[in-house]
Amino acid sequence: MRKLVVILPTYNEKGNVGLLITEIFDKLDTLKNWELSILVVDSKSPDGTGTEIKKLRKKYPRLYLLEVAKEGLGRAYTQAFSYLEKNINPYLVIQMDADLSHNPDSLPDLIKKIENGADFVIGSRYIRGGSIPPNWGLHRKFLSVMGNLTVKLGFMKLRISDWTSGYRAIKFWLVKKAFQHIKNYSGYVFQIAFLDFALKNNAVIGEVPIHFRERKSGVSKINFVQYIFSIFLYIFLHSSFIKFAIVGVLGFGVDFGISYLMIEILHKAVWISTLLSTETAIISNFIMNNFWSFSDKKIEGGITKFITSFLKYNLVSSGSIAIQTFGVSLLASLLGKQFWFLYKVTIITLVVIPYSYFFYNKFIWKSK
Ligand code: GDD
Ligand code: MN
């Protein structure tokens, strides 16, 4: 028997959590090989959620209550994790909203994915078979879809369909490994931080479709302005892709600056100036990418490895130069020379950036 704990964070969920707990225990009675407990982590809800749980504990011996201060959803979860490590040390935890938005009918699907080898399973609203409430207003749908798209593109991790979902099954070894990272995120952005950590540490990620329902009673505690701000800040500080794009812009500055200096001020020949400025930009980009953009997978293994990687980097970079030269000349001959700058910008954003990001990840800064 493996231990499984469903964690339910609550703040004023008296009208929902009792029914949810009954449903979960009923549902998982049929589960084989798992010993189920439920941990409610309540932020001293003024509506009496805690008292309600204490009553239910008489009926369900494997229902636990942890009372914490009101410091946000992420903080409630990390406190629950510490509590579990000390008291139960489960094999698997499931994160779930306590407002009946997350249907317990999906629990067996999440668990099955774990049994089939996943470390981190997302209950996803945005894959085939999943959904958000059809009666949500347009602005709410828009926010949810855009939020997810922003994170997806921000990390350039397109295969994850639901970055912000709060319905997840996670093996406890991964929770312990991620703890030092996720404990810094007290609000809803905690969900994104955890998934980002799991991906960077090569956890096996699975997704199963869920139907997200409207909460039964009470109100949402999310503060959208604060949430969106934290998402942008998180992506900016943690996305290799964004850092890589910034390095690209800096590299362009280096390249342009040196060319300008050599051609316009020192009156050197164009070919030598271009050669020197391009190679300097390639070298400085390589160093910035290694120690900043891809710092979590820095090149290790001594000077030989470093030089081989640098040569590979030059090879990929010559590819970028070839794509640009060919693309810009082609478009210029087809559509007219006067818009060359537009062609260059388009080709860089649509082709060169994805191309080089893909090859750097594949051949130079490989996942560990
Ligand atoms: N203990 C505790 N402390 N629980 C909290 C706190 C807190 O400070 N803030 C929220 N919760 C609980 C709520 O009581 C609920 O059970 C769950 O966390 C989700 O909170 P909601 O207020 O219902 O959030 P939502 O429905 O607007 O947000 C949904 O979307 C987010 C982003 O996509 C949820 O699915 C979130 O889990 C998800 O991250
Ligand atoms: Mn909710």
Side-chain angles (χ1 to χ4, degrees):
M1 290 289 255
R2 281 173 168 166
K3 287 181 186 165
L4 152 65
V5 179
V6 176
I7 307 173
L8 303 175
T10 53
Y11 188 70
N12 289 344
E13 302 292 359
K14 193 181 176 198
N16 304 308
V17 74
L19 178 59
L20 179 63
I21 289 169
T22 309
E23 280 184 16
I24 297 173
F25 276 125
D26 285 352
K27 182 101 235 154
L28 296 192
D29 260 356
T30 51
L31 262 189
K32 288 193 183 65
N33 308 325
W34 293 96
E35 180 190 277
L36 166 74
S37 306
I38 297 179
L39 172 64
V40 174
V41 45
D42 182 54
S43 292
K44 306 215 170 70
S45 303
D47 75 344
T49 304
T51 325
E52 171 88 7
I53 301 300
K54 282 175 195 152
K55 273 189 226 150
L56 280 169
R57 269 171 60 80
K58 301 201 173 88
K59 184 167 169 206
Y60 299 109
R62 272 207 292 274
L63 171 63
Y64 300 88
L65 172 66
L66 174 66
E67 296 188 287
V68 298
K70 171 119 182 53
E71 294 172 307
L73 178 65
R75 182 87 181 113
Y77 269 119
T78 46
Q79 283 174 287
F81 296 150
S82 302
Y83 174 88
L84 289 180
E85 181 168 13
K86 283 189 207 100
N87 296 287
I88 300 183
N89 199 31
Y91 178 83
L92 180 66
V93 289
I94 292 185
Q95 295 183 194
M96 202 173 171
D97 293 351
D99 58 0
L100 293 161
S101 285
H102 293 150
N103 192 332
D105 286 349
S106 303
L107 285 168
D109 295 345
L110 277 106
I111 296 168
K112 175 145 282 154
K113 266 262 167 354
I114 291 282
E115 289 174 335
N116 291 339
D119 303 311
F120 188 115
V121 181
I122 307 166
S124 174
R125 298 161 291 183
Y126 301 112
I127 51 174
R128 186 195 284 275
S131 65
I132 51 178
N135 60 335
W136 264 7
L138 208 62
H139 74 285
R140 188 101 203 253
K141 281 185 182 154
F142 181 79
L143 267 173
S144 186
V145 173
M146 284 310 286
N148 259 295
L149 197 65
T150 309
V151 186
K152 236 172 155 167
L153 292 175
F155 284 110
M156 231 356 119
K157 290 270 157 62
L158 305 181
R159 70 192 171 87
I160 304 291
S161 339
D162 198 340
W163 271 86
T164 57
S165 170
Y167 199 0
R168 298 163 163 187
I170 307 162
K171 283 185 180 158
F172 205 63
W173 67 262
L174 186 56
V175 173
K176 287 192 252 184
K177 191 171 180 190
F179 193 83
Q180 287 307 318
H181 178 65
I182 54 181
K183 77 172 184 358
N184 303 314
Y185 303 94
S186 59
Y188 286 76
V189 77
F190 150 88
Q191 312 280 21
I192 294 169
F194 201 164
L195 181 50
D196 173 45
F197 181 93
L199 283 162
K200 285 184 177 150
N201 286 275
N202 298 316
V204 180
I205 314 284
E207 285 190 275
V208 297
I210 58 158
H211 294 290
F212 189 89
R213 305 179 295 190
E214 197 51 291
R215 62 160 51 243
K216 186 165 163 280
S217 84
V219 289
S220 165
K221 285 94 205 174
I222 211 161
N223 173 337
F224 271 112
V225 176
Q226 195 185 9
Y227 185 42
I228 290 168
F229 178 78
S230 334
I231 292 182
F232 275 106
L233 188 65
Y234 187 86
I235 296 175
F236 185 74
L237 294 176
H238 295 91
S239 163
S240 296
F241 181 67
I242 299 285
K243 293 180 187 171
F244 154 84
I246 294 173
V247 168
V249 173
L250 292 177
F252 180 80
V254 169
D255 191 345
F256 189 84
I258 294 178
S259 284
Y260 184 84
L261 184 82
M262 291 188 65
I263 298 170
E264 300 289 331
I265 299 178
L266 302 173
H267 306 290
K268 300 284 179 211
V270 171
W271 74 268
I272 184 80
S273 311
T274 312
L275 192 68
L276 212 82
S277 66
T278 319
E279 194 51 35
T280 313
I282 289 178
I283 295 173
S284 67
N285 279 17
F286 180 73
I287 292 170
M288 287 189 278
N289 277 326
N290 190 48
F291 292 100
W292 188 55
S293 324
F294 301 107
S295 59
D296 56 319
K297 16 186 192 178
K298 234 177 265 144
I299 295 160
E300 277 156 2
I303 188 77
T304 339
K305 184 78 199 304
F306 199 80
I307 291 173
T308 343
S309 300
F310 178 65
L311 292 177
K312 284 190 205 159
Y313 187 86
N314 271 272
L315 201 67
V316 176
S317 304
S318 1
S320 313
I321 296 171
I323 293 171
Q324 261 193 77
T325 315
F326 177 75
V328 175
S329 346
L330 184 74
L331 288 179
S333 67
L334 288 175
L335 308 167
K337 199 173 155 187
Q338 66 273 38
F339 300 117
W340 68 272
F341 193 75
L342 214 63
Y343 311 148
K344 198 171 164 75
V345 172
T346 315
I347 288 173
I348 289 179
T349 22
L350 295 185
V351 189
V352 172
I353 291 181
Y355 153 86
S356 39
Y357 190 68
F358 176 79
F359 281 103
Y360 293 164
N361 274 294
K362 190 136 183 91
F363 296 123
I364 300 160
W365 289 284
K366 286 175 264 194
S367 300
K368 292 206 171 107

